[in-house]
Amino acid sequence: DGGITQSPKYLFRKEGQNVTLSCEQNLNHDAMYWYRQDPGQGLRLIYYSQIVNDFQKGDIAEGYSVSREKKESFPLTVTSAQKNPTAFYLCASSIGPKGTQYFGPGTRLLVL
Amino acid sequence: AQTVTQSQPEMSVQEAETVTLSCTYDTSESNYYLFWYKQPPSRQMILVIRQEAYKQQNATENRFSVNFQKAAKSFSLKISDSQLGDTAMYFCAFTDAGGTSYGKLTFGQGTILTVHP
């Protein structure tokens, strides 16, 4: 089955620790996106990538980093510089910038 | 910058009834796409319906239809014959079809819809 997978489902971060969220898709989509969702709010764009080895900052990129070494994968690292990382993180992909975005199941990040 | 506003934080409807969720947006672009996404308690974001701004015909998807008013910048979602499984948070979203937006989705704050038996 084609789709988008995210792991882990839950992730706990300690003070000063970097953590990496995984996002994989087998839809052969060129574009991939990371969004953050805070309780009771809509989604905000962290980073996006239109093609392998290229990515751009979204609206709230500070404290986050990404890589796009393979078309299928777009991991997000939440660094220690992100002071308020507790949120629900959603990965999405689309055929291209004009395509409909489809979402993975999300990762909930909590701070210990 | 584009903005999306959903003015109804919460709505409720009886099973089998019809409900309409409101969305307005602000943009200077002439060509764009609008979406409604559904987020049930599982938190998975599910596409409900998509509308292309250059198409005058309102999009429909089974029990879901939109009322797209381009001049008024309004994009409401009508759910007919509401079912218990429609209970979810509904998000209106916008993306520019060209320019430098690179497909970025701008979301509204969401409307929590509860369907009562």
Side-chain angles (χ1 to χ4, degrees):
Chain A
D1 286 335
I4 304 170
T5 57
Q6 290 186 242
S7 61
K9 188 172 182 180
Y10 296 96
L11 185 57
F12 298 91
R13 194 190 90 163
K14 296 179 181 178
E15 288 288 334
Q17 187 180 38
N18 292 354
V19 293
T20 298
L21 286 62
S22 170
C23 177
E24 304 275 334
Q25 54 97 2
N26 62 2
L27 300 168
N28 200 32
H29 285 173
D30 284 316
M32 296 187 75
Y33 308 82
W34 274 106
Y35 292 90
R36 169 179 171 143
Q37 185 179 27
D38 291 286
Q41 296 189 30
L43 282 64
R44 293 181 291 167
L45 182 66
I46 305 172
Y47 267 98
Y48 62 94
S49 169
Q50 297 299 311
I51 196 168
V52 175
N53 291 323
D54 184 57
F55 49 83
Q56 306 295 329
K57 292 181 179 180
D59 297 325
I60 54 166
E62 186 175 351
Y64 300 98
S65 65
V66 294
S67 63
R68 187 85 187 277
E69 297 176 1
K70 298 188 300 182
K71 187 175 185 177
E72 302 80 18
S73 178
F74 191 41
L76 173 74
T77 296
V78 183
T79 74
S80 57
Q82 173 49 245
K83 298 306 178 187
N84 185 22
T86 297
F88 188 60
Y89 292 86
L90 285 154
C91 177
S93 71
S94 64
I95 291 176
K98 296 183 181 181
T100 297
Q101 290 183 30
Y102 296 94
F103 287 81
T107 293
R108 177 175 283 231
L109 176 60
L110 300 168
V111 176
L112 294 176
Chain B
Q2 290 88 0
T3 59
V4 178
T5 302
Q6 294 178 247
S7 59
Q8 305 154 314
E10 294 188 42
M11 296 277 286
S12 64
V13 65
Q14 293 296 125
E15 198 174 7
E17 298 288 304
T18 295
V19 64
T20 298
L21 308 183
S22 301
C23 173
T24 58
Y25 59 94
D26 188 24
T27 183
S28 58
E29 302 295 331
S30 58
N31 195 16
Y32 47 86
Y33 301 96
L34 294 159
F35 305 85
W36 280 98
Y37 283 90
K38 165 185 175 180
Q39 188 177 42
S42 67
R43 303 198 75 174
Q44 171 87 51
M45 290 288 282
I46 302 166
L47 176 70
V48 175
I49 203 163
R50 163 181 157 134
Q51 174 77 43
E52 298 170 40
Y54 64 86
K55 289 187 177 179
Q56 294 186 343
Q57 186 173 9
N58 289 324
T60 63
E61 227 18 270
N62 299 315
R63 298 182 295 106
F64 299 89
S65 62
V66 298
N67 183 4
F68 174 48
Q69 302 289 329
K70 191 172 185 179
K73 295 180 181 175
S74 171
F75 183 61
S76 60
L77 175 70
K78 185 171 84 171
I79 306 174
S80 304
D81 185 25
S82 297
Q83 301 176 0
L84 297 178
D86 295 334
T87 292
M89 176 88 92
Y90 286 81
F91 290 98
C92 179
F94 168 102
T95 190
D96 181 1
T100 60
S101 69
Y102 293 105
K104 167 193 166 181
L105 280 173
T106 299
F107 285 85
Q109 295 292 91
T111 296
I112 299 172
L113 175 66
T114 304
V115 181
H116 297 286

